[in-house]
Amino acid sequence: MIEQVRLVNFRRHADTTVPLTQFTLLVGDNSSGKTSVLQAIHLAGTAAVKDRREVFSAEHALAVL
């Protein structure tokens, strides 16, 4: 199980660590970065199974989200 996610210079997150448990609920004000956390997890998962150059290319990065 993934125990934490750390975002460094990702979207509006300069350096954010999100601890994860079996059930984690992301709660916060609008534009506080909840969706960015989910996008980062999605990108990491996609990069694990696809060619990283394709996932992180300027043309496709975050376009699939």
XYZ file of all heavy atoms in Angstrom:
499
model
N 0.837 -1.174 0.000
C 0.000 0.000 0.000
C 0.890 1.248 0.000
O 1.913 1.304 0.681
C -0.897 -0.006 1.240
C -1.837 1.175 1.284
S -3.002 1.107 2.636
C -2.112 2.029 3.858
N 0.499 2.239 -0.752
C 1.211 3.509 -0.757
C 0.897 4.227 0.552
O -0.264 4.392 0.910
C 0.782 4.375 -1.960
C 1.088 3.649 -3.265
C 1.465 5.738 -1.915
C 0.506 4.323 -4.483
N 1.933 4.642 1.272
C 1.733 5.255 2.581
C 1.711 6.773 2.552
O 1.173 7.405 3.451
C 2.805 4.766 3.550
C 2.704 3.267 3.796
C 3.770 2.746 4.726
O 4.661 3.529 5.132
O 3.724 1.551 5.046
N 2.313 7.366 1.515
C 2.277 8.815 1.410
C 2.585 9.232 -0.024
O 3.172 8.487 -0.787
C 3.254 9.494 2.360
C 4.705 9.295 2.041
C 5.613 10.017 3.026
O 5.166 10.517 4.044
N 6.882 10.065 2.729
N 2.164 10.429 -0.352
C 2.454 11.025 -1.644
C 3.133 12.354 -1.360
O 2.653 13.139 -0.540
C 1.164 11.252 -2.458
C 1.449 12.028 -3.724
C 0.496 9.942 -2.775
N 4.250 12.590 -2.023
C 4.944 13.867 -1.858
C 4.984 14.578 -3.199
O 5.433 14.010 -4.203
C 6.363 13.655 -1.349
C 7.083 14.974 -1.117
C 8.424 14.776 -0.464
N 9.086 16.060 -0.302
C 10.389 16.222 -0.301
N 11.184 15.170 -0.421
N 10.904 17.422 -0.157
N 4.492 15.793 -3.214
C 4.468 16.608 -4.414
C 5.476 17.730 -4.259
O 5.415 18.490 -3.297
C 3.080 17.205 -4.643
C 1.909 16.216 -4.629
C 0.600 16.956 -4.765
C 2.065 15.209 -5.730
N 6.413 17.818 -5.186
C 7.426 18.876 -5.165
C 7.344 19.600 -6.501
O 7.527 18.990 -7.564
C 8.840 18.291 -4.946
C 9.882 19.392 -4.988
C 8.904 17.537 -3.628
N 7.042 20.891 -6.435
C 6.906 21.722 -7.636
C 5.937 21.118 -8.645
O 6.212 21.065 -9.840
C 8.264 21.974 -8.291
C 9.194 22.733 -7.385
O 8.758 23.576 -6.603
N 10.470 22.441 -7.463
N 4.823 20.652 -8.152
C 3.771 20.097 -9.007
C 2.539 20.975 -8.860
O 1.976 21.102 -7.781
C 3.436 18.655 -8.610
C 2.425 18.016 -9.518
C 2.803 17.530 -10.759
C 1.106 17.891 -9.127
C 1.874 16.939 -11.597
C 0.168 17.298 -9.957
C 0.544 16.813 -11.204
N 2.163 21.583 -9.950
C 1.053 22.538 -9.951
C 1.317 23.602 -8.891
O 2.350 24.220 -8.894
C -0.273 21.822 -9.733
C -0.566 20.767 -10.770
C -1.623 21.229 -11.661
N -1.871 20.241 -12.704
C -2.739 20.457 -13.623
N -3.459 21.540 -13.628
N -2.912 19.581 -14.574
N 0.416 23.788 -7.932
C 0.606 24.824 -6.918
C 1.275 24.291 -5.650
O 1.393 25.000 -4.664
C -0.747 25.442 -6.566
C -1.335 26.200 -7.764
C -2.643 26.829 -7.475
N -2.496 27.818 -6.413
C -3.509 28.381 -5.792
N -4.728 28.060 -6.111
N -3.307 29.258 -4.843
N 1.701 23.033 -5.658
C 2.343 22.423 -4.492
C 3.854 22.624 -4.570
O 4.526 22.003 -5.388
C 2.046 20.921 -4.421
C 0.596 20.609 -4.225
N 0.021 20.557 -2.986
C -0.384 20.345 -5.113
C -1.264 20.256 -3.120
N -1.525 20.130 -4.394
N 4.384 23.473 -3.715
C 5.838 23.679 -3.668
C 6.510 22.454 -3.056
O 7.469 21.917 -3.604
C 6.179 24.925 -2.866
N 6.000 21.995 -1.926
C 6.509 20.796 -1.252
C 5.428 20.331 -0.290
O 5.311 20.838 0.825
C 7.806 21.088 -0.506
C 8.472 19.825 0.025
O 7.926 18.716 -0.155
O 9.559 19.945 0.628
N 4.619 19.372 -0.732
C 3.480 18.892 0.044
C 3.577 17.390 0.225
O 3.816 16.668 -0.739
C 2.153 19.218 -0.675
O 2.078 20.616 -0.912
C 0.957 18.766 0.138
N 3.391 16.920 1.439
C 3.331 15.485 1.712
C 1.942 15.155 2.230
O 1.453 15.790 3.156
C 4.390 15.071 2.747
O 5.684 15.401 2.223
C 4.330 13.582 3.032
N 1.317 14.159 1.600
C -0.019 13.733 1.988
C 0.078 12.306 2.511
O 0.353 11.381 1.747
C -0.994 13.785 0.788
C -2.386 13.339 1.199
C -1.027 15.172 0.177
N -0.138 12.104 3.825
C -0.136 10.738 4.350
C -1.399 10.007 3.897
O -2.474 10.604 3.830
C -0.119 10.941 5.866
C -0.638 12.315 6.092
C -0.361 13.103 4.855
N -1.249 8.733 3.553
C -2.374 7.938 3.071
C -2.602 6.740 3.986
O -1.652 6.161 4.509
C -2.105 7.457 1.649
C -1.843 8.534 0.608
C -1.416 7.900 -0.709
C -3.059 9.403 0.407
N -3.850 6.381 4.168
C -4.222 5.180 4.908
C -5.140 4.353 4.013
O -5.337 4.693 2.845
C -4.953 5.545 6.221
O -6.157 6.239 5.900
C -4.080 6.413 7.111
N -5.730 3.299 4.548
C -6.642 2.483 3.741
C -7.798 3.319 3.216
O -8.302 3.084 2.123
C -7.202 1.325 4.565
C -6.484 0.045 4.327
C -7.174 -1.098 5.013
O -7.751 -0.962 6.092
N -7.115 -2.252 4.412
N -8.222 4.288 3.980
C -9.284 5.204 3.557
C -8.810 6.615 3.833
O -8.631 7.002 4.987
C -10.585 4.921 4.323
C -11.702 5.834 3.913
C -12.443 5.564 2.774
C -12.006 6.961 4.655
C -13.475 6.409 2.393
C -13.036 7.806 4.278
C -13.774 7.533 3.147
N -8.573 7.380 2.785
C -8.121 8.761 2.922
C -9.128 9.660 2.227
O -9.504 9.417 1.077
C -6.740 8.953 2.295
O -5.810 8.093 2.956
C -6.267 10.390 2.427
N -9.552 10.682 2.926
C -10.505 11.641 2.392
C -9.803 12.979 2.221
O -9.216 13.504 3.168
C -11.685 11.787 3.365
C -12.837 12.684 2.950
C -13.535 12.117 1.723
C -13.823 12.779 4.110
N -9.820 13.500 0.999
C -9.211 14.798 0.739
C -10.283 15.865 0.875
O -11.275 15.857 0.151
C -8.618 14.842 -0.673
C -7.503 13.856 -0.968
C -7.095 13.943 -2.439
C -6.313 14.113 -0.078
N -10.084 16.769 1.811
C -11.055 17.822 2.090
C -10.317 19.148 2.114
O -9.223 19.245 2.667
C -11.740 17.594 3.462
C -12.716 18.706 3.771
C -12.428 16.245 3.501
N -10.912 20.170 1.520
C -10.295 21.487 1.549
C -11.095 22.489 0.749
O -12.048 22.138 0.051
N -10.698 23.727 0.856
C -11.354 24.794 0.119
C -11.150 24.600 -1.384
O -10.262 23.859 -1.816
C -10.766 26.155 0.518
C -11.081 26.522 1.961
O -12.109 26.047 2.480
O -10.295 27.268 2.561
N -11.953 25.305 -2.159
C -11.757 25.318 -3.606
C -10.347 25.819 -3.908
O -9.836 26.704 -3.232
C -12.773 26.242 -4.274
C -14.175 25.677 -4.221
O -14.375 24.495 -3.970
N -15.148 26.531 -4.466
N -9.728 25.238 -4.894
C -8.377 25.604 -5.344
C -7.301 25.365 -4.289
O -6.272 26.027 -4.285
C -8.333 27.079 -5.783
O -9.199 27.284 -6.872
N -7.529 24.392 -3.407
C -6.530 24.108 -2.380
C -5.575 22.990 -2.785
O -4.613 22.718 -2.085
C -7.203 23.752 -1.054
O -7.979 22.572 -1.188
N -5.838 22.311 -3.931
C -4.912 21.300 -4.429
C -5.372 19.861 -4.320
O -4.587 18.946 -4.561
N -6.627 19.634 -3.989
C -7.131 18.257 -3.859
C -7.010 17.489 -5.178
O -6.504 16.373 -5.213
C -8.595 18.270 -3.392
C -8.837 18.965 -2.078
C -10.312 19.026 -1.719
C -11.160 19.771 -2.704
N -10.980 21.228 -2.739
N -7.443 18.102 -6.254
C -7.392 17.443 -7.555
C -5.952 17.227 -8.001
O -5.632 16.198 -8.614
C -8.175 18.263 -8.606
O -9.535 18.375 -8.160
C -8.148 17.601 -9.963
N -5.075 18.145 -7.685
C -3.665 17.990 -8.049
C -3.060 16.751 -7.404
O -2.232 16.075 -8.015
C -2.866 19.225 -7.629
O -3.299 20.353 -8.331
N -3.455 16.445 -6.182
C -2.962 15.237 -5.508
C -3.407 14.004 -6.296
O -2.612 13.102 -6.566
C -3.457 15.171 -4.049
C -3.125 13.828 -3.424
C -2.876 16.308 -3.230
N -4.670 13.977 -6.697
C -5.181 12.839 -7.465
C -4.506 12.755 -8.834
O -4.192 11.662 -9.312
C -6.691 12.952 -7.622
C -7.481 12.933 -6.314
C -8.961 13.156 -6.592
C -7.268 11.635 -5.561
N -4.257 13.885 -9.476
C -3.571 13.889 -10.762
C -2.148 13.355 -10.633
O -1.671 12.617 -11.499
C -3.560 15.294 -11.360
C -4.924 15.750 -11.825
C -4.943 17.191 -12.275
O -4.156 18.000 -11.800
N -5.841 17.509 -13.178
N -1.470 13.717 -9.576
C -0.103 13.236 -9.357
C -0.088 11.722 -9.168
O 0.782 11.028 -9.722
C 0.507 13.929 -8.148
N -1.037 11.206 -8.415
C -1.123 9.754 -8.219
C -1.406 9.067 -9.553
O -0.800 8.047 -9.889
C -2.191 9.405 -7.168
C -1.750 9.913 -5.791
C -2.458 7.904 -7.137
C -2.837 9.869 -4.737
N -2.296 9.637 -10.335
C -2.622 9.079 -11.648
C -1.398 9.080 -12.563
O -1.108 8.083 -13.233
C -3.764 9.868 -12.275
C -4.104 9.416 -13.660
N -4.826 8.274 -13.909
C -3.797 9.940 -14.871
C -4.952 8.112 -15.210
N -4.332 9.121 -15.814
N -0.672 10.190 -12.595
C 0.529 10.273 -13.430
C 1.577 9.245 -13.010
O 2.204 8.612 -13.860
C 1.142 11.670 -13.345
C 0.624 12.698 -14.325
C 1.228 14.061 -14.039
C 0.920 12.288 -15.745
N 1.762 9.094 -11.712
C 2.744 8.121 -11.221
C 2.345 6.705 -11.635
O 3.193 5.914 -12.072
C 2.877 8.216 -9.707
N 1.072 6.391 -11.512
C 0.593 5.068 -11.918
C 0.732 4.837 -13.407
O 1.132 3.763 -13.860
N 0.416 5.848 -14.196
C 0.540 5.747 -15.652
C 1.997 5.594 -16.059
O 2.335 4.796 -16.938
C -0.080 6.987 -16.321
O -1.447 7.098 -15.920
C -0.021 6.878 -17.826
N 2.879 6.338 -15.410
C 4.306 6.252 -15.719
C 4.880 4.886 -15.371
O 5.877 4.463 -15.954
C 5.072 7.344 -14.978
N 4.251 4.185 -14.439
C 4.734 2.868 -14.047
C 4.453 1.819 -15.126
O 5.147 0.805 -15.187
C 4.098 2.433 -12.728
N 3.455 2.073 -15.982
C 3.089 1.060 -16.972
C 3.294 1.513 -18.417
O 3.192 0.703 -19.323
C 1.620 0.604 -16.792
C 1.451 -0.097 -15.460
C 0.655 1.755 -16.931
N 3.574 2.785 -18.627
C 3.795 3.297 -19.985
C 5.185 3.902 -20.097
O 5.856 4.124 -19.102
C 2.760 4.375 -20.325
C 1.380 3.848 -20.570
C 0.504 4.952 -21.113
C -0.848 4.403 -21.521
N -1.685 5.450 -22.124
N 5.565 4.219 -21.302
C 6.839 4.877 -21.555
C 6.806 6.266 -20.936
O 5.945 7.086 -21.264
C 7.070 4.975 -23.061
C 8.406 5.572 -23.425
O 9.050 6.233 -22.578
O 8.829 5.390 -24.582
N 7.714 6.548 -20.022
C 7.718 7.828 -19.302
C 7.853 9.029 -20.229
O 7.321 10.089 -19.972
C 8.831 7.833 -18.253
C 8.531 6.929 -17.087
C 9.666 6.958 -16.068
N 9.414 6.029 -14.995
C 9.770 4.758 -15.016
N 10.404 4.263 -16.047
N 9.491 3.974 -13.990
N 8.570 8.855 -21.329
C 8.718 9.970 -22.278
C 7.374 10.371 -22.852
O 7.103 11.545 -23.077
C 9.684 9.596 -23.394
C 11.130 9.492 -22.913
C 12.000 8.954 -23.997
N 11.568 7.561 -24.221
C 12.256 6.656 -24.888
N 13.386 6.981 -25.449
N 11.820 5.436 -25.022
N 6.511 9.392 -23.081
C 5.174 9.681 -23.596
C 4.310 10.331 -22.525
O 3.610 11.306 -22.775
C 4.514 8.389 -24.070
C 3.094 8.570 -24.557
C 2.422 7.252 -24.894
O 3.121 6.229 -25.054
O 1.199 7.253 -24.997
N 4.385 9.827 -21.308
C 3.538 10.327 -20.219
C 3.887 11.750 -19.855
O 3.005 12.579 -19.611
C 3.673 9.412 -18.971
C 2.904 9.996 -17.793
C 3.179 8.011 -19.294
N 5.168 12.069 -19.815
C 5.597 13.379 -19.348
C 5.985 14.338 -20.466
O 6.553 15.390 -20.215
C 6.752 13.238 -18.353
C 6.321 12.565 -17.084
C 6.654 11.243 -16.836
C 5.576 13.247 -16.152
C 6.248 10.618 -15.666
C 5.160 12.631 -14.978
C 5.492 11.315 -14.739
N 5.659 13.991 -21.712
C 5.957 14.922 -22.798
C 5.068 16.150 -22.651
O 3.956 16.085 -22.140
C 5.716 14.261 -24.157
O 4.327 14.084 -24.377
N 5.571 17.273 -23.095
C 4.823 18.527 -22.965
C 3.470 18.431 -23.656
O 2.501 19.028 -23.224
C 5.644 19.673 -23.530
N 3.403 17.658 -24.717
C 2.165 17.555 -25.477
C 1.090 16.775 -24.727
O -0.078 17.089 -24.797
C 2.447 16.881 -26.818
C 1.238 16.733 -27.712
C 1.585 16.059 -29.027
O 2.765 16.081 -29.415
O 0.675 15.514 -29.658
N 1.476 15.726 -23.984
C 0.507 14.848 -23.353
C 0.419 14.965 -21.840
O -0.507 14.443 -21.244
C 0.822 13.390 -23.717
C 0.683 13.114 -25.176
N 1.767 13.053 -26.005
C -0.400 12.943 -25.957
C 1.358 12.816 -27.238
N 0.048 12.750 -27.233
N 1.373 15.573 -21.192
C 1.377 15.625 -19.729
C 0.087 16.261 -19.233
O -0.294 17.349 -19.642
C 2.583 16.409 -19.222
N -0.615 15.560 -18.398
C -1.863 15.984 -17.771
C -3.027 16.080 -18.742
O -4.142 16.313 -18.336
C -1.701 17.318 -17.028
C -0.634 17.330 -15.948
C -0.518 18.723 -15.351
C -0.936 16.330 -14.861
N -2.794 15.866 -20.029
C -3.884 15.936 -20.993
C -4.850 14.768 -20.818
O -6.026 14.900 -21.115
C -3.341 15.956 -22.409
N -4.348 13.639 -20.327
C -5.203 12.448 -20.171
C -5.989 12.480 -18.872
O -6.759 11.602 -18.593
C -4.357 11.159 -20.229
C -3.725 11.002 -21.590
C -3.308 11.153 -19.139
N -5.803 13.499 -18.083
C -6.457 13.534 -16.782
C -7.809 14.159 -16.841
O -8.164 15.137 -17.220
C -5.574 14.279 -15.778
C -4.189 13.675 -15.621
C -3.345 14.537 -14.719
C -4.271 12.278 -15.086
